[in-house]
């Protein structure tokens, strides 16, 4: 096939020619194939032409049913071929990735009707792959289920026998084990405390093989927001270590459901420190014939680190309705941070002498130096409490210190938005009351293009929306308390939800604001016999795309989810009822607690914009085609507040 799906004249601007071809696609080619082409798509296509021509950032807000995905895919593919660099499509989570690449998805449609061969490959996050080291631990545990031994036995031969490594293919990702619960998967899935750089099995790892595969894509690499941000934050460090960045050089980036990018950026920049991991890293320095002064420095830093984590346990208090503990950064604790840093500095000086003597393996030395530098950066943040969000999780023997910088705007601007590259934010909900200031400010974007197009669907005719009666004790404003201690109130609301399910004969998506809410609902349904007639699917009980497929195929089933406020696309009767268990105000986590503390009016500046964006997304799951119809029912004690009720009512048809 030709490089471009149109006749290219090198004497004319490429983007103008691509735009003319895309106009032909929407005006002629797709209508001839039976597609309903919408004016909103044509308008969006011309808006994106400017973003690609000028290599700028654009907020592309397009309502449900406008066909926005087809538009940005066409530009991304054409521009990738022109620049000979793949485009990155970054989705909010793994379930949205699966929606995009499914056999009946938009990429397949374009390939079929435009006679294109689209090279689209998945770059899944590390936690979506089996960690061979963790699998070895659980399969050797006689108390564990045989399922882990069966998984090990089913791995490719080259995993078991290195001498058979004659051909490679990707293996071991989460989707291959759909029946595992999230808890079961966590026993064998990669986590942040795995040190892949020195893993003896890294060359046989499914994650590594997958990376070799997707890096060779010529058109599209599809990944999550989290993975893209991890690429951004680790880019320099991986270069220094002699490794390839997680993603190759690329021509453009599309952030699908782009309003969720800030949270992914914040999470990617988070440092997690654990004493046991730190000890395992620095003791590597003792494997060679090292000088006594270095050996003593290693012993001393291990001791000081142990004391630091003892003090963190002593000076931290549990946070209600959370699995985290708040740290009291007092003088004693800060002095101990200083002692750890001082000892790390001693080791860094000693390593200068050791490197000159060539007594340490150069690769191991480089890895340890990178870890020590990262720890120093993290501990330096502790000295700037005004710029820090921190907490601890776990118990004394397995305590984890989590350190997150408050603001990521400057880094995002430098590493992403300052590059001369088209950056597309695509979502049905990017603006608040017609303004893009909220998202632009949160991401540190000063200059941008933007446009909004409404959904072509007739929501007044297709959607019935109901604000449900107040049930005290079920939820509270801004996630200050999850409100799940009043199990009687949860039980009462579950009875009301059952009435709504009976009206629609199941066919419902129930959206929760937290895992705790979902768990409380699940517990309450066990004592209500009326739920027995429905097949209820709970997020976390299996791999998410497997649950979505089961929900779509079993028409009267009910799907209960925490993460499916965005992206879920199920047209037809299988989804005829959306039930919002509580208004999706921000959770009681450190990030939003910090934002509230810095705001003049936290409720108006932080809580309400977030809730309204997320609620709009949740309501958008219902109507996915002109033939769809159904109801949205919204619970929430905050609806007693006139300002909240008025704002929510403005979203209703």
């Amino acid at each position: 096939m030709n490089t471009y799906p149109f006749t290219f004249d090198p004497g004319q601007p490429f983007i103008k020619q691509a735009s003319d071809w895309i106009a032909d696609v929407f005006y002629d080619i797709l209508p001839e194939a039976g597609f309903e082409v919408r004016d909103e798509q044509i308008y969006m296509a011309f808006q994106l032409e400017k973003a690609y021509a000028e290599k700028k950032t654009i907020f592309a807000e397009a309502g449900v049913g406008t066909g926005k995905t087809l538009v940005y895919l066409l530009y991304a593919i054409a521009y990738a071929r022109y620049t000979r660099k793949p485009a990155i499509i970054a989705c909010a989570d793994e379930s949205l990735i699966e929606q995009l690449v499914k056999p009946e998805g938009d990429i397949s449609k374009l390939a079929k009707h435009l006679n294109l061969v689209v090279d689209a490959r998945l770059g899944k996050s590390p936690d979506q792959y089996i960690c061979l080291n963790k699998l070895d631990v659980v399969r050797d545990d006689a108390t564990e289920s045989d399922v882990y031994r069966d998984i090990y036995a089913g791995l490719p031969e080259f995993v078991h026998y290195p001498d058979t490594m004659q051909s490679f293919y990707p293996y071991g990702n989460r989707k291959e084990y759909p029946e595992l619960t999230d808890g079961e998967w966590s026993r064998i899935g990669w986590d942040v405390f795995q040190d892949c750089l020195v893993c003896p099995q890294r060359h046989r790892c499914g994650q590594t093989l997958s990376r070799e595969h997707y890096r060779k894509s010529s058109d599209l690499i599809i990944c999550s927001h989290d993975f893209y941000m991890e690429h951004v934050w680790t880019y320099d460090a991986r270069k220094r270590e002699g490794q390839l960045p997680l993603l190759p050089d690329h021509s453009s980036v599309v952030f699908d459901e782009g309003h969720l990018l800030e949270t992914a950026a914040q999470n990617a920049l988070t440092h997690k420190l654990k004493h046991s991991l730190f000890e395992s890293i620095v003791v590597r320095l003792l494997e060679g014939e090292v000088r006594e002064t270095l050996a003593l420095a290693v012993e001393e830093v291990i001791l000081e680190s142990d004391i630091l984590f003892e003090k963190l346990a002593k000076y931290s208090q549990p946070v209600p309705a959370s699995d985290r503990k708040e740290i009291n950064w007092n003088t004693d604790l800060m002095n101990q941070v200083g002692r750890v840093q001082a000892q790390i500095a001693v080791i860094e000086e000693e390593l200068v002498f050791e490197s000159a003597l060539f007594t340490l393996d150069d690769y191991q030395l480089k890895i340890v130096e990178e870890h020590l530098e990262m720890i120093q950066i993290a501990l330096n943040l502790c000295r700037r409490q005004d710029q820090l969000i921190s907490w601890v999780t776990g118990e004394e023997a397995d305590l984890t210190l989590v350190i997150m910088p408050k603001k990521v705007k400057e880094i995002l601007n430098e590493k992403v938005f300052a590059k001369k590259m088209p950056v597309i934010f695509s979502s049905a909900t990017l603006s608040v009351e017609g303004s893009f200031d909220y998202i632009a400010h949160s991401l540190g974007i000063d200059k941008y293009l933007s446009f909004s197009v409404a959904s072509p669907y007739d929501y007044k005719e297709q959607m019935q929306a109901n604000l449900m009666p107040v049930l005290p004790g079920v939820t509270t404003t801004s996630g200050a308390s999850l409100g799940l201690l009043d199990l009687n109130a949860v039980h009462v609301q579950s009875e009301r939800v059952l009435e709504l399910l009976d009206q629609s004969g199941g066919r419902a998506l129930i959206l929760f604001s937290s895992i705790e809410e979902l768990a409380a609902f699940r517990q309450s349904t066990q004592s209500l016999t009326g739920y027995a007639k429905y097949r209820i699917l709970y997020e976390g009980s299996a791999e998410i795309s497997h649950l979505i497929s089961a929900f779509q195929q079993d028409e009267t089933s009910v799907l209960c989810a925490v993460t499916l406020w965005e992206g879920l696309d199920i047209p037809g009767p299988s989804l005829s009822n959306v039930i919002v268990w509580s208004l999706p105000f921000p959770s009681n986590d450190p990030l939003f607690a910090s934002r509230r503390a810095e705001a003049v009016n936290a409720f108006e500046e932080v809580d309400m914009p977030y809730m309204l964006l997320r609620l709009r997304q949740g309501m958008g799951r219902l109507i996915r085609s002109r033939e769809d119809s159904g109801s949205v029912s919204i619970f929430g004690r905050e609806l007693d507040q006139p300002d909240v009720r008025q704002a929510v009512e403005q979203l209703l048809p």
Side-chain angles (χ1 to χ4, degrees):
M1 60 170 285
N2 294 326
T3 301
Y4 309 117
F6 54 87
T7 302
F8 174 56
D9 180 358
Q12 299 296 321
F14 175 81
I15 292 299
K16 181 65 173 73
Q17 296 178 71
S19 182
D20 290 342
W21 168 69
I22 291 170
D24 290 339
V25 169
F26 288 118
Y27 280 122
D28 300 321
I29 301 174
L30 290 183
E32 289 178 3
F35 277 73
E36 177 190 358
V37 177
R38 306 174 181 97
D39 292 339
E40 293 87 358
Q41 285 177 310
I42 306 298
Y43 177 77
M44 181 176 178
F46 284 114
Q47 297 298 313
L48 289 193
E49 177 187 355
K50 186 175 182 181
Y52 274 88
E54 300 179 7
K55 301 178 182 177
K56 289 185 176 180
T57 296
I58 186 169
F59 293 120
E61 183 177 61
V64 176
T66 52
K68 55 184 175 292
T69 306
L70 292 178
V71 182
Y72 73 61
L73 284 175
L74 288 171
Y75 272 102
I77 293 168
Y79 196 62
R81 295 184 178 187
Y82 175 63
T83 59
R84 290 176 170 76
K85 298 177 182 178
I88 306 296
I89 310 296
C91 302
D93 56 40
E94 302 295 334
S95 64
L96 294 177
I97 291 174
E98 297 295 342
Q99 292 275 342
L100 189 60
V101 301
K102 61 186 179 182
E104 67 276 18
D106 288 327
I107 293 176
S108 295
K109 291 177 183 176
L110 288 179
K112 176 182 177 181
H113 296 291
L114 300 182
N115 195 28
L116 285 174
V117 177
V118 181
D119 186 5
R121 308 189 188 190
L122 300 187
K124 292 202 167 189
S125 297
D127 61 6
Q128 294 294 304
Y129 287 90
I130 286 175
C131 171
L132 295 176
N133 290 328
K134 290 176 71 174
L135 180 60
D136 285 343
V137 172
V138 295
R139 73 182 177 86
D140 289 338
D141 187 341
T143 64
E144 288 290 350
S145 166
D146 287 339
V147 67
Y148 297 120
R149 286 177 277 277
D150 293 341
I151 288 173
Y152 179 79
L155 296 179
E157 280 197 8
F158 61 75
V159 177
H160 308 300
Y161 311 106
D163 58 334
T164 64
M165 295 169 63
Q166 298 177 10
S167 61
F168 299 99
Y169 58 92
Y171 76 94
N173 79 72
R174 174 71 170 100
K175 193 178 180 183
E176 295 173 24
Y177 309 97
E179 302 296 341
L180 291 183
T181 67
D182 286 355
E184 290 169 334
W185 174 258
S186 69
R187 306 296 307 279
I188 61 172
W190 180 91
D191 62 60
V192 71
F193 295 112
Q194 304 308 308
D195 194 356
C196 300
L197 293 177
V198 293
C199 174
Q201 305 191 76
R202 65 184 181 276
H203 297 304
R204 291 175 282 150
C205 172
Q207 179 190 156
T208 303
L209 299 182
S210 171
R211 192 169 299 156
E212 293 174 358
H213 174 71
Y214 71 67
R215 289 184 62 87
K216 298 174 183 176
S217 175
S218 57
D219 289 331
L220 304 174
I221 298 175
I222 305 165
C223 65
S224 66
H225 289 180
D226 288 339
F227 191 57
Y228 187 82
M229 287 297 105
E230 187 72 17
H231 158 74
V232 170
W233 304 144
T234 61
Y235 184 89
D236 293 334
R238 294 182 69 87
K239 285 279 193 178
R240 287 195 300 267
E241 293 165 0
Q243 299 185 83
L244 291 172
L246 293 179
L247 293 167
D249 288 342
H250 40 277
S251 55
S252 64
V253 183
V254 177
F255 293 114
D256 200 3
E257 304 298 351
H259 61 288
L260 299 176
L261 181 64
E262 184 190 10
T263 300
Q266 202 94 38
N267 290 336
L269 201 54
T270 296
H271 300 281
K272 293 185 178 181
L273 307 181
K274 184 182 287 189
H275 171 70
S276 58
L277 178 63
F278 174 67
E279 182 176 3
S280 70
I281 292 168
V282 294
V283 294
R284 294 176 193 162
L285 298 174
L286 304 179
E287 293 176 0
E289 294 183 4
V290 299
R291 292 174 302 116
E292 183 179 359
T293 52
L294 175 59
L296 290 174
V298 169
E299 291 180 7
E300 187 65 26
V301 80
I302 291 172
L303 175 62
E304 296 295 350
S305 172
D306 193 26
I307 295 172
L308 172 61
F309 278 83
E310 288 178 358
K311 290 182 182 292
L312 284 168
K314 177 181 178 181
Y315 296 125
S316 59
Q317 298 294 327
V319 175
S322 172
D323 63 352
R324 65 185 175 92
K325 298 176 182 177
E326 186 175 3
I327 305 169
N328 174 22
W329 288 101
N330 55 32
T331 303
D332 185 24
L333 189 53
M334 291 305 302
N335 287 341
Q336 187 59 36
V337 168
R339 283 189 280 272
V340 173
Q341 287 190 285
Q343 281 304 126
I344 291 177
V346 170
I347 291 178
E348 289 173 329
E349 291 179 5
E350 292 290 336
L351 291 180
V352 174
F353 292 102
E354 292 293 340
S355 61
L357 296 173
F358 301 101
T359 56
L360 293 173
D361 177 77
D362 186 59
Y363 182 66
Q364 288 276 11
L365 179 61
K366 188 177 294 186
I367 291 170
V368 174
E369 287 176 335
E370 283 290 340
H371 277 287
L372 293 179
E373 181 182 351
M374 182 275 292
I375 292 169
Q376 287 285 46
I377 291 172
L379 294 180
N380 276 331
L381 285 172
C382 297
R383 299 186 174 279
R384 294 175 287 175
Q385 290 295 308
D386 60 324
Q387 301 178 30
L388 173 71
I389 305 170
S390 62
W391 66 96
V392 294
T393 60
E395 300 305 321
E396 290 189 21
D398 195 37
L399 204 67
T400 299
L401 170 62
V402 185
I403 300 172
M404 175 188 291
K406 284 185 179 179
K407 300 189 184 299
V408 298
K409 295 188 219 179
E410 294 80 6
I411 302 173
L412 272 174
N413 189 48
E414 175 190 352
K415 302 287 188 180
V416 182
F417 305 121
K419 294 181 179 293
K420 199 68 175 172
M421 175 177 68
V423 178
I424 316 302
F425 284 83
S426 174
S427 177
T429 54
L430 291 171
S431 66
V432 178
E433 297 180 348
S435 171
F436 294 93
D437 290 347
Y438 175 74
I439 185 171
H441 177 72
S442 66
L443 294 171
I445 301 174
D446 297 322
K447 298 180 180 180
Y448 59 86
L449 305 172
S450 66
F451 69 89
S452 295
V453 289
S455 170
Y457 300 146
D458 188 345
Y459 285 102
K460 288 185 178 181
E461 290 293 327
Q462 294 177 257
M463 177 190 293
Q464 177 184 348
N466 308 292
L467 300 184
M468 305 305 292
V470 173
L471 297 175
V474 177
T475 58
T476 52
T477 299
S478 307
S481 167
L482 293 175
L484 298 178
L485 298 178
D486 188 347
L487 295 179
N488 181 62
V490 175
H491 185 83
V492 172
Q493 182 158 317
S494 296
E495 290 179 326
R496 292 301 312 278
V497 169
L498 180 57
E499 294 174 6
L500 296 171
L501 295 180
D502 288 341
Q503 292 173 16
S504 60
R507 303 178 175 86
L509 169 69
I510 308 178
L511 291 170
F512 298 86
S513 297
S514 69
I515 295 173
E516 291 82 2
E517 283 187 354
L518 186 149
F521 168 77
R522 186 173 187 175
Q523 180 182 344
S524 71
T525 60
Q526 294 174 0
S527 59
L528 294 172
T529 57
Y531 279 96
K533 59 178 169 287
Y534 299 112
R535 180 188 183 190
I536 304 182
L537 306 166
Y538 293 98
E539 182 175 350
S541 63
E543 192 268 332
I544 190 66
S545 64
H546 176 72
L547 290 174
I548 292 171
S549 177
F551 173 59
Q552 187 168 15
Q553 293 174 20
D554 188 348
E555 185 177 312
T556 61
S557 62
V558 177
L559 178 58
C560 301
V562 176
T563 64
L564 296 179
W565 294 78
E566 295 89 6
L568 184 66
D569 184 16
I570 300 182
S574 291
L575 208 174
S576 303
N577 189 358
V578 171
I579 300 171
V580 176
W581 178 265
S582 68
L583 292 178
F585 282 101
S587 61
N588 185 24
D589 70 11
L591 177 57
F592 283 104
S594 172
R595 291 179 186 173
R596 293 186 189 104
E598 294 181 347
V600 176
N601 187 324
F603 189 67
E604 292 185 2
E605 297 174 29
V606 178
D607 297 323
M608 282 292 285
Y610 178 91
M611 183 275 289
L612 293 173
L613 280 176
R614 201 152 177 81
L615 183 59
R616 284 173 62 194
Q617 282 285 351
M619 294 171 60
R621 300 313 98 212
L622 182 66
I623 307 300
R624 310 301 298 180
S625 73
R626 293 190 187 276
E627 291 72 36
D628 283 353
S629 63
S631 62
V632 172
S633 301
I634 303 170
F635 290 88
R637 198 180 79 178
E638 300 91 345
L639 293 171
D640 265 355
Q641 300 172 224
D643 56 338
V644 174
R645 190 177 187 90
Q646 181 180 4
V648 172
E649 286 177 341
Q650 290 178 352
L651 302 182
L652 307 182

